[in-house]
Amino acid sequence: MFFLWSFKLQPCPKISKPFIIALLGPALFHTIGHISACVSFSKVAVSFTHVIKSSEPVFSVVFSSFLGDSYPLKVWLSILPIVFGCSLAAITEVSFNFQGLWGALISNVGFVLRNIYSKRSLQSFKEVNGLNLYGWISIISLLYLFPVAVFVEGSQWVVGYQKAIETIGKPSTFYIWVILSGVFYHLYNQSSYQALDEISPLTFSVGNTMKRVVVIISTILVFRNPVRPLNALGSAIAIFGTFLYSQATSKKTVKKNEDNKNI
């Protein structure tokens, strides 16, 4: 983000104390969501983590309902195949363990609460676009994470670095992989926020569903993870449920926008 702001590729937002305070909560949930996702990736197959993460709409509906939002019956019905599909995928997953499962579930909770409180706490900062909002959430998240990482794992960094170099073979390869991982992760989020500004919610939801399919299939091909037929069926049902949820909620959003225009 500093690179984009420095070279005027992205307008730098005006920062104020209320703006930073409003981001403290969303950034904390973002940190929790990202750490737990990485923990899950380290414990189970990447494809399985993404299947479980496709259940994020379930948490979104439940937490939003507790906070006062209401959803039509078809939205609630759309989360049933998500729950069933994820459950079927979990009980048939070859690499299954509870640490990986709980990591993915906690990640869902963290990112859902980040999204909910981002909308609720930033109503007064609508002039900040999505990319700048995500950039500052990431920066504050770094400030949260760095001292914790030093305290919890600081004594293991040297040993871990040496093992990584031994496994990969060359220090330069290790650095390139770490840098590319960070760059691609940021570009993925950047493109998502920019796409949401340019296309309809329905089109975005379809693309987001296809993203899950591409990621899961790609990780299976790259890492050669064994997939049982019932596991593949459960994954497909969960992703299909995510698509149904996306359609149901996008229609709800369109209707809400039309009602606001009429008012």
Side-chain angles (χ1 to χ4, degrees):
M1 291 306 301
F2 288 143
F3 174 83
L4 295 178
W5 291 329
S6 299
F7 287 89
K8 309 297 182 182
L9 300 175
Q10 173 71 17
C12 185
K14 295 181 179 179
I15 303 304
S16 62
K17 184 177 179 180
F19 177 75
I20 297 298
I21 293 175
L23 286 181
L24 293 179
L28 177 61
F29 291 127
H30 175 76
T31 307
I32 294 171
H34 186 59
I35 292 174
S36 52
C38 290
V39 170
S40 180
F41 287 141
S42 70
K43 300 298 182 182
V44 294
V46 176
S47 56
F48 176 65
T49 298
H50 277 280
V51 170
I52 300 303
K53 283 180 67 62
S54 68
S55 67
E56 186 174 313
V58 178
F59 294 87
S60 180
V61 170
V62 172
F63 281 106
S64 296
S65 298
F66 282 142
L67 294 173
D69 290 342
S70 60
Y71 291 90
L73 178 61
K74 59 184 177 181
V75 173
W76 287 98
L77 292 176
S78 70
I79 69 176
L80 295 179
I82 300 177
V83 175
F84 175 72
C86 288
S87 301
L88 183 60
I91 63 176
T92 58
E93 172 60 37
V94 176
S95 66
F96 177 84
N97 69 61
F98 282 103
Q99 285 181 308
L101 175 64
W102 280 109
L105 292 175
I106 293 172
S107 176
N108 284 344
V109 173
F111 285 134
V112 164
L113 291 177
R114 177 198 66 180
N115 296 338
I116 291 174
Y117 283 101
S118 291
K119 291 180 180 180
R120 288 176 175 267
S121 61
L122 294 171
Q123 293 297 320
S124 303
F125 306 98
K126 294 181 179 180
E127 70 278 3
V128 180
N129 63 26
L131 180 56
N132 279 336
L133 174 61
Y134 173 74
W136 275 103
I137 286 177
S138 297
I139 291 170
I140 298 174
S141 178
L142 170 64
L143 300 179
Y144 280 138
L145 179 59
F146 186 75
V148 176
V150 172
F151 178 77
V152 176
E153 296 184 338
S155 61
Q156 306 173 37
W157 283 0
V158 175
V159 176
Y161 171 79
Q162 292 173 345
K163 287 184 177 179
I165 298 302
E166 291 175 3
T167 302
I168 296 174
K170 294 181 179 180
S172 58
T173 304
F174 172 76
Y175 297 140
I176 291 173
W177 284 2
V178 171
I179 292 173
L180 288 179
S181 176
V183 169
F184 283 128
Y185 180 75
H186 178 83
L187 291 177
Y188 150 68
N189 284 281
Q190 175 179 328
S191 60
S192 295
Y193 277 102
Q194 290 178 318
L196 191 56
D197 288 336
E198 300 294 335
I199 61 179
S200 69
L202 177 58
T203 304
F204 182 83
S205 68
V206 174
N208 199 43
T209 303
M210 292 305 299
K211 177 202 74 177
R212 293 285 183 199
V213 177
V214 172
V215 169
I216 291 171
I217 294 177
S218 298
T219 55
I220 291 173
L221 294 176
V222 171
F223 298 110
R224 307 293 182 183
N225 299 322
V227 180
R228 296 170 179 171
L230 284 178
N231 182 270
L233 176 62
S235 302
I237 293 173
I239 293 171
F240 180 66
T242 304
F243 175 71
L244 294 178
Y245 166 84
S246 300
Q247 283 198 313
T249 52
S250 65
K251 291 177 181 178
K252 177 176 180 288
T253 302
V254 170
K255 185 178 184 302
K256 183 177 180 181
N257 291 338
E258 290 177 350
D259 292 342
N260 291 336
K261 288 181 181 179
N262 293 333
I263 292 174

